[in-house]
């Protein structure tokens, strides 16, 4: 399926950047004592940070450590309460993003701000202060994007482009303004491994030219691989600075968390192949909206005792597949079987009563109601599963609080006071809660989309271990994830979804990252054309 | 100095209670300003408007009469608004309910026995529910905007009433006045508590209490609240948005229709070309002022009923236009919605340290 792509060999990424002596380099940005407070929370507490010219500088920290707050102050979208920023040797006040761009600070966001109905050149023109003639701009875009190894066709409509190309547009938009510092927020979370390699080459070239990169990522492997220097934030303070090339991902993780992160163990024994618990047979679904993905003839068998992972780049049909399996999107009865019973046309509660459980990707607003207490959010998915939560139409708050306490304890959900509203929990804690809510039922079949998305290392390890333990106890676990590290850590078999097609699930031991990456890119024809 | 709204981590319980009170206080303040710019003593105006109706037996009874339909309609609307269905057409559902309820005593005046009144009330509820189901079906089948369709049906209902009262349902012995025949005793809602109030008042209070329990304690109430706040989570819970839209419109229509029947059967005793001083619209304010909680709505219903009586009071005593009542109702809704912001946000004053963007342009 991806053989033609396999032949395009990429240049080797320079695995060991030469460590520079920081004191001798030119300082580009010097932040001193930056402090930002939101109500009672000190998001940044006297943060000092020096970024040198030509340096790829990693900014590490768990969710909520204050990374976003810090870069927003550099980019002018937040105003520091205290402290100062030196740009070169001049003190500056960055009042808004336009002022930041004028200084030469560009930012590539995690969530793109592109108009899907417009083409590449129109999108870029919208963001430039003086776009000038559109034809000239199109030429400049072609030249710059080719020079930096991120080729773009200026006439392509954004809606038709895969996520990796969309990110290129954002990067090229930055480059056209000749930045001296580029801030990148989790740039590789939407890329295949091959696309990420391409991005690293671009970043290394930028760095050679003297442009600095402030690089935010949760992927410690890649930080070690391309970054020259790392600053680690915890609870809004700088706790460490280090040279990531001299560290291991595990040591970086423990610096972020402030404690050793437990390694996930898949158990000694290979899973015994049990009976089939979830079967997808020729699952088809039309795209519900112009921007949704159709599912094409998807087949998969999930057996008792195993964890099967579905890898793929965001937006390739993962959400649609989840909705079809959970019953939020109806299908033909014979397309989905739970423990041998056809159920493609049954609703989500019928499937829950068959001992299936579901954890969607979006925790707030899909997996949980933001303004409701945790105990009420337990009723949300368990009102029909015989947990005594509902009797004669009445909801038992007492039973719900018993469950809430049990889940809180078992999954270490931290909260400021008992039974708070779901919205007040941090992302990681809420994720522990929504996963815990389903695991607490000890389901026979668990389907979970992005189990540890945006979750800190400690919580992620806890959740992954719980998923493996559930499978080893005889349940079938289907994990949809975009995190390859996670997939290789927990999966017994791996399938890849691309443009609504699912590859054969193959044993994880036979899979390599390269192979998964090629399968991910398998359906992305446009990518091959541009490159 | 500038004012910032800072999002709270959770809903503030204190503010949920305080916000209607702050809204009432701000409305009173605005009313006082209105009185003084029209050349009246603001204190006397406020007294006549808000306090005096509570001091006399007759005006207190009139307040209860006005509050009853407001509370009943407001309760039904709360079900709609909690589930994110914007039913603006309770006025029409009230009128159609009154028409259905009146059909029996007008078309079959000789049908007089103990079940006459219960049947009328039942028909009234059914009529209101059917009228409300029109925008609900249009929404679930064709994705129309229920705000527009429910509102437009108000005017259809008004014209229907007008036609019937001037045409086929006109009192044959009524000297061509546009009125229906007077209802017989069997079709008239009795008075209770020594004539202090119509039977409609206790019926309304009981319905409000039952609804309060349903909303707070049952799975149906849970479903209504979940769907209102987060439809995607609601569908994850296995609830159907379409069925709930039909359900909530039907409930709101039934309660408005019941209120309409009780109004014609109790207070008016016949059909007239106009049977409501805008109860269906004022009840929207009642529902929000009562925080979409039936118990809160009982209190809010009294506050808004006061504005009708108080409006008449200031008109007769001070010569202020009766329109002041509508102005004050509008102000109240405005302040209620504005103050609701404080439940999830708090206000912070920020003093600017340095004018921004100055040095960066060097």
């Amino acid at each position: 399926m991806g053989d033609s792509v396999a032949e395009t060999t990429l240049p080797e990424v320079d695995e060991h950047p030469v460590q520079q002596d920081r004191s001798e380099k030119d300082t580009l940005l010097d932040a001193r004592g930056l402090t930002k407070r939101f109500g009672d929370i000190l998001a940044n507490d006297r943060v000092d940070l020096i970024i040198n010219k030509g340096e790829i500088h990693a900014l590490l920290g768990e969710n909520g450590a204050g990374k976003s707050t810090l870069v927003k102050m550099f980019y002018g979208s937040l105003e520091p309460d205290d402290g100062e920023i030196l740009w070169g040797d001049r003190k500056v006040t960055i009042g808004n993003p336009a002022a930041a761009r004028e200084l030469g600070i560009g930012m590539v966001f995690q969530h793109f701000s592109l108009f899907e109905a417009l083409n590449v050149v129109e999108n870029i023109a919208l963001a430039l202060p003086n776009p000038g003639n559109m034809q000239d701009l199109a030429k400049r875009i072609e030249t710059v994007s080719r020079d930096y190894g991120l080729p773009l066709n200026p006439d392509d409509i954004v809606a038709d482009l895969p996520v990796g190309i969309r990110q290129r547009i954002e990067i090229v938009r930055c480059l056209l303004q000749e930045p001296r510092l580029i801030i990148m927020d989790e740039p590789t979370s939407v890329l295949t491994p091959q696309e990420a390699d391409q991005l690293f080459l671009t970043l290394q070239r930028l760095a050679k030219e003297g442009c600095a990169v402030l690089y935010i990522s949760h992927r410690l492997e890649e930080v070690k691989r391309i970054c020259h220097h790392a600053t680690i934030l915890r609870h809004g303070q700088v706790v460490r600075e280090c040279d990531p090339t001299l560290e291991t991902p595990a040591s970086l993780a423990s610096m972020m968390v402030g404690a050793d992160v437990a390694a996930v163990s898949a158990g000694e024994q290979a899973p015994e192949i049990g009976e089939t618990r979830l079967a997808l047979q020729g699952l088809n679904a039309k795209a519900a909206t112009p921007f949704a993905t159709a599912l094409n003839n998807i087949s998969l068998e999930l057996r008792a005792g195993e964890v099967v992972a579905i890898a793929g780049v965001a937006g390739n049909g993962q959400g649609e597949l989840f909705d079809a399996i959970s019953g939020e999107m109806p299908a033909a009865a014979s397309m989905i079987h739970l423990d041998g019973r056809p159920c493609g046309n049954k609703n989500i509660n019928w499937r829950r009563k068959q001992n299936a459980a579901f954890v969607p990707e979006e925790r707030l607003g899909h997996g949980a109601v933001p303004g409701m207490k945790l105990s009420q959010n337990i009723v949300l998915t368990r009102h029909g599963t015989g947990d005594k939560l509902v009797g004669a139409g009445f909801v038992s708050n007492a039973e719900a609080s018993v469950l809430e306490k049990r889940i809180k304890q078992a999954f270490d959900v931290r909260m400021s006071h008992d039974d708070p509203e779901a919205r007040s929990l941090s992302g990681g804690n809420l994720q522990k809660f929504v996963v815990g809510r389903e695991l607490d039922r000890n389901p026979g079949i668990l389907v979970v989309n992005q189990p540890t998305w945006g979750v800190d290392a400690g919580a992620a390890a806890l959740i992954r271990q719980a998923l493996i333990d559930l499978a080893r106890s005889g349940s079938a676990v289907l994990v949809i994830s975009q995190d390859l590290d996670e997939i290789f850590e927990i999966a017994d078999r791996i399938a890849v979804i691309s443009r609504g097609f699912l590859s054969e699930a193959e044993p994880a031991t036979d899979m390599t990252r390269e192979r998964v990456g090629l399968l991910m890119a398998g359906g992305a024809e446009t990518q091959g054309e541009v490159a | 100095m500038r004012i910032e709204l800072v999002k709270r981590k959770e809903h503030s319980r204190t503010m949920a209670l305080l916000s209607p009170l702050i809204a009432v206080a701000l409305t009173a303040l605005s009313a006082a300003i209105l009185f003084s710019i029209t050349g009246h003593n603001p204190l006397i105006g406020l007294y006549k408007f808000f306090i005096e109706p509570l001091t006399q037996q007759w005006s207190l009874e009139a307040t209860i009469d006005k509050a009853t339909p407001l509370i009943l309609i407001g309760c039904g609307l709360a079900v709609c608004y909690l589930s994110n269905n914007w039913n603006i057409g309770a006025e029409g559902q009230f009128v159609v309910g009154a028409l259905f309820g009146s059909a029996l005593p007008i078309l079959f005046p000789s049908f007089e026995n103990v079940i006459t009144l219960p049947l009328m009330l039942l028909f009234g509820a059914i009529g209101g529910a059917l009228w409300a189901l029109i925008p609900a079906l249009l929404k679930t089948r064709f994705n129309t905007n229920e705000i527009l369709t429910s509102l437009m049906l108000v005017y259809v209902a008004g014209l229907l009433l007008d036609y019937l009262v001037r045409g086929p349902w006109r009192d044959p012995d009524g000297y061509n006045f546009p009125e229906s025949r007077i209802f017989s005793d069997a079709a008239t809602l009795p008075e209770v508590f020594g004539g202090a109030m119509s039977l409609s008042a206790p019926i309304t209070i009981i319905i409000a209490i039952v609804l309060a329990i349903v909303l707070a304690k049952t799975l149906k109430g849970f479903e209504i609240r979940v769907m209102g706040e987060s439809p995607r989570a609601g569908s994850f819970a296995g609830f159907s948005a379409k069925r709930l839209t039909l359900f909530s419109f039907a409930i709101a229509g039934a309660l408005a229709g019941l209120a309409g029947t009780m109004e014609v059967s109790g207070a008016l005793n016949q059909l007239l070309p106009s049977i409501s001083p805008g109860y269906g619209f004022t009840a929207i304010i009642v529902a929000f002022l009562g925080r979409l909680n039936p118990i809160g709505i009982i209190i809010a219903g009294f506050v808004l009923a006061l504005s009708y009586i108080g409006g008449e009071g200031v008109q007769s005593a001070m010569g202020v236009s009766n329109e002041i009542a509508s102005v004050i109702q509008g102000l109240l809704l405005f302040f209620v919605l504005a103050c609701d912001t404080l439940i999830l946000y708090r206000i912070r004053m920020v003093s600017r340290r340095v004018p921004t963007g100055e040095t960066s342009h060097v």
Side-chain angles (χ1 to χ4, degrees):
Chain A
M1 161 177 187
D3 284 0
S4 58
V5 190
E7 284 157 26
T8 53
T9 46
L10 292 165
E12 279 294 300
V13 175
D14 184 1
E15 293 283 344
H16 298 286
V18 183
Q19 181 55 26
Q20 299 137 324
D21 187 352
R22 282 172 60 78
S23 54
E24 284 176 16
K25 296 291 283 189
D26 285 344
T27 301
L28 179 66
L29 182 142
D30 184 356
R32 293 180 183 169
L34 282 186
T35 299
K36 182 73 192 174
R37 183 183 282 283
F38 296 109
D40 306 331
I41 302 153
L42 207 49
N44 276 178
D45 184 7
R46 288 160 289 161
V47 171
D48 297 325
L49 184 81
I50 292 175
I51 301 173
N52 289 332
K53 284 177 188 160
E55 172 180 81
I56 304 180
H57 189 125
L59 187 57
L60 304 178
E62 296 192 282
N63 281 83
K67 304 183 300 278
S68 303
T69 306
L70 184 62
V71 297
K72 277 180 186 162
M73 290 192 282
F74 293 154
Y75 195 57
S77 42
L78 281 177
E79 195 183 333
D81 292 332
D82 204 2
E84 56 184 27
I85 299 174
L86 296 179
W87 182 250
D89 44 14
R90 209 178 69 228
K91 189 182 162 192
V92 291
T93 308
I94 306 169
N96 52 52
R101 285 194 292 266
E102 215 166 300
L103 288 174
I105 300 175
M107 180 149 178
V108 177
F109 290 93
Q110 195 176 2
H111 301 286
F112 307 145
S113 47
L114 296 171
F115 294 94
E116 298 207 327
L118 298 184
N119 69 20
V120 172
V121 64
E122 287 164 340
N123 264 291
I124 290 180
L126 279 170
L128 296 180
N130 309 303
N133 180 312
M134 293 292 261
Q135 278 171 354
D136 295 346
L137 181 61
K139 281 204 191 91
R140 270 177 70 207
I141 291 169
E142 262 189 303
T143 324
V144 171
S145 66
R146 199 171 344 98
D147 280 359
Y148 282 93
L150 304 168
L152 279 177
N153 181 358
D155 299 326
D156 283 346
I157 302 291
V158 169
D160 301 335
L161 297 175
V163 194
I165 306 285
R166 294 187 194 196
Q167 187 187 53
R168 285 187 191 175
I169 303 175
E170 295 266 356
I171 297 173
V172 168
R173 181 152 92 178
C174 260
L175 293 179
L176 283 174
Q177 302 183 53
E178 290 163 11
R180 296 164 66 198
L181 169 64
I182 295 186
I183 303 169
M184 303 195 103
D185 191 359
E186 301 244 12
T188 55
S189 61
V190 295
L191 302 181
T192 64
Q194 285 83 356
E195 286 174 321
D197 283 343
Q198 182 64 59
L199 175 69
F200 298 154
L201 287 174
T202 306
L203 295 184
Q204 282 169 346
R205 165 152 178 209
L206 278 168
K208 279 206 186 86
E209 292 173 1
C211 179
V213 178
L214 184 59
Y215 192 84
I216 301 177
S217 180
H218 276 115
R219 302 191 172 175
L220 302 174
E221 289 279 2
E222 66 189 35
V223 166
K224 175 173 163 55
R225 201 165 138 206
I226 64 160
C227 293
H228 307 114
H229 191 79
T231 299
I232 293 137
L233 289 180
R234 199 191 309 149
H235 305 309
Q237 290 175 319
V238 175
V239 289
R240 270 292 278 280
E241 288 193 53
C242 68
D243 175 355
T245 55
L246 306 176
E247 302 290 336
T248 64
S251 66
L252 288 170
S254 63
M255 284 181 219
M256 283 163 56
V257 181
D260 285 339
V261 178
V264 176
S265 116
E268 294 284 309
Q269 290 165 322
E272 304 250 331
I273 303 262
E275 74 279 19
T276 300
R277 303 212 65 168
L278 168 70
L280 307 179
Q281 293 168 354
L283 173 61
N284 281 301
K286 288 194 184 120
T289 69
F291 300 123
T293 309
L295 300 178
N296 304 295
N297 198 23
I298 286 181
S299 294
L300 178 71
E301 287 204 351
L302 194 63
R303 302 202 185 85
E306 68 173 349
V307 178
V308 173
I310 294 181
V313 175
N316 272 284
Q318 290 96 330
E320 290 81 357
L321 179 61
F322 178 87
D323 287 352
I325 301 177
S326 73
E328 288 169 271
M329 183 169 83
S334 62
M335 289 178 179
I336 303 169
H337 290 75
L338 285 177
D339 283 330
R341 294 175 142 204
C343 68
N345 57 349
K346 302 282 198 224
N347 68 30
I348 188 166
N349 279 324
W350 189 93
R351 299 180 199 203
R352 286 193 179 115
K353 283 176 196 155
Q354 290 295 302
N355 208 10
F358 310 96
V359 182
E361 174 179 6
E362 200 188 336
R363 350 172 223 265
L364 216 50
H366 190 181
V369 182
M372 284 192 169
K373 293 175 171 184
L374 293 186
S375 58
Q376 297 285 289
N377 270 302
I378 289 172
V379 180
L380 191 74
T381 64
R382 295 180 61 169
H383 60 84
T385 54
D387 290 299
K388 295 187 206 146
L389 286 173
V390 180
F394 282 80
V395 175
S396 164
N397 290 329
E399 291 290 335
S401 334
V402 170
L403 285 186
E404 190 256 339
K405 292 203 174 64
R406 193 162 87 199
I407 292 165
K408 177 169 76 179
Q409 201 127 58
F411 291 89
D412 185 28
V413 183
R414 291 173 209 172
M415 47 191 78
S416 53
H417 60 95
D418 195 41
D419 204 9
E421 289 175 11
R423 67 153 54 88
S424 74
L425 258 57
S426 73
N429 273 312
L430 186 58
Q431 185 68 18
K432 285 191 276 188
F433 171 77
V434 295
V435 172
R437 178 178 63 187
E438 307 307 323
L439 285 172
D440 176 74
R441 277 177 57 205
N442 204 11
I445 300 138
L446 177 69
V447 182
V448 43
N449 191 359
Q450 294 276 63
T452 60
W453 179 76
V455 168
D456 59 56
L462 181 92
I463 290 172
R464 289 171 189 161
Q465 188 63 58
L467 294 176
I468 292 173
D469 293 346
L470 178 73
R472 296 300 178 260
S473 72
S475 301
V477 177
L478 182 64
V479 175
I480 303 171
S481 176
Q482 290 157 36
D483 183 343
L484 278 186
D485 291 339
E486 168 171 277
I487 286 176
F488 278 101
E489 199 171 329
I490 64 175
D492 301 310
R493 287 193 296 148
I494 299 172
V496 178
I497 192 166
S498 168
R499 299 212 160 185
F501 292 90
L502 188 71
S503 73
E504 182 93 12
E506 297 175 41
T509 44
D510 299 349
M511 281 289 222
T512 60
R513 278 164 193 273
E514 287 63 38
R515 176 149 170 69
V516 172
L518 293 172
L519 287 170
M520 280 178 176
E525 297 95 310
T526 22
Q527 231 170 325
E529 273 167 29
V530 182
Chain B
M1 258 322 237
R2 67 165 189 248
I3 297 170
E4 274 186 358
L5 283 177
V6 183
K7 195 162 189 177
R8 298 175 194 268
K9 287 185 85 176
E10 297 188 65
H11 293 103
S12 158
R13 283 161 166 253
T14 325
M15 267 303 158
L17 289 174
L18 278 182
S19 104
L21 301 180
I22 298 173
V24 170
L26 289 171
T27 306
L29 183 67
S30 310
I33 294 171
L34 273 178
F35 283 127
S36 43
I37 45 184
T38 49
H40 300 279
N41 183 328
L43 288 179
I44 295 176
L46 286 182
Y47 175 79
K48 295 265 179 209
F49 196 95
F50 288 106
I51 312 290
E52 201 180 52
L54 298 172
T55 59
Q56 285 161 326
Q57 173 82 17
W58 72 268
S59 55
L60 210 54
E61 286 175 11
T63 308
I64 294 174
D65 281 349
K66 297 266 191 237
T68 303
L70 290 177
I71 294 167
L72 197 51
I73 303 169
C75 281
L77 289 179
V79 174
C80 276
Y81 299 155
L82 280 172
S83 62
N84 216 1
N85 286 298
W86 297 97
N87 179 3
I88 309 297
E91 182 80 0
Q93 293 142 26
F94 178 91
V95 167
V96 172
L99 290 179
F100 269 64
S102 309
L104 195 61
I106 290 174
L107 300 177
F108 305 99
S110 54
F111 182 81
E112 292 184 58
N113 56 46
V114 284
I115 64 160
T116 306
L117 198 57
L119 271 182
M120 286 169 63
L121 297 180
L122 180 67
F123 288 165
I126 291 172
L130 288 177
W131 199 249
L133 279 172
I134 299 172
L137 279 169
L138 289 172
K139 179 182 182 181
T140 53
R141 288 295 298 276
F142 302 110
N143 235 348
T144 55
N145 183 320
E146 74 273 25
I147 298 177
L148 290 176
T149 51
S150 64
L151 179 62
M152 290 192 290
L153 284 168
V154 169
Y155 305 106
V156 177
L159 292 170
L160 191 62
L161 168 68
D162 203 62
Y163 163 72
L164 285 174
V165 174
R166 291 175 200 278
W169 285 10
R170 192 174 53 201
D171 183 359
D173 309 320
Y175 308 102
N176 263 348
F177 278 106
E179 308 170 342
S180 77
R181 65 171 81 240
I182 305 280
F183 295 174
S184 66
D185 284 351
T188 302
L189 213 56
E191 296 197 323
V192 292
F193 300 122
M197 61 184 77
S198 155
L199 182 62
S200 61
I203 291 178
T204 295
I205 299 296
I206 290 169
I207 290 176
I209 291 171
V210 169
L211 192 65
I213 294 169
V214 167
L215 286 175
K217 299 285 177 195
T218 66
L219 188 61
K220 194 72 194 173
F222 180 74
E223 176 183 343
I224 289 167
R225 284 178 286 131
V226 168
M227 275 302 190
E229 190 170 347
S230 182
R232 191 79 214 274
S235 105
F236 186 61
F239 303 139
S240 156
K242 289 188 175 178
R243 254 180 297 172
L244 188 60
T245 297
L246 298 175
F247 174 85
S248 62
F249 266 89
I251 290 284
L255 293 188
L258 185 61
T261 301
M262 295 203 294
E263 184 73 8
V264 289
S265 153
L268 304 176
N269 230 357
Q270 65 181 145
L271 274 185
L272 299 170
S274 170
I275 55 170
S276 158
Y279 286 137
F281 293 118
T282 308
I284 299 171
I285 310 173
V286 171
F288 280 105
L289 184 64
R291 304 226 46 77
L292 303 181
N293 173 330
I295 305 303
I297 286 170
I298 295 177
I299 300 166
F302 275 96
V303 173
L304 267 297
L306 264 185
S307 71
Y308 281 118
I309 312 294
E312 287 166 17
V314 290
Q315 184 178 32
S316 63
M318 304 167 69
V320 180
S321 162
N322 197 14
E323 296 297 324
I324 189 96
S326 309
V327 173
I328 288 176
Q329 288 181 4
L331 284 170
L332 184 57
L333 179 62
F334 172 79
F335 284 124
V336 167
L337 296 179
C339 290
D340 273 5
T341 310
L342 297 176
I343 297 173
L344 202 50
Y345 293 84
R346 59 191 177 77
I347 292 176
R348 186 175 62 173
M349 300 290 191
V350 184
S351 55
R352 291 222 147 198
R353 288 181 307 125
V354 208
T356 49
E358 286 284 309
T359 42
S360 63
H361 288 285
V362 177

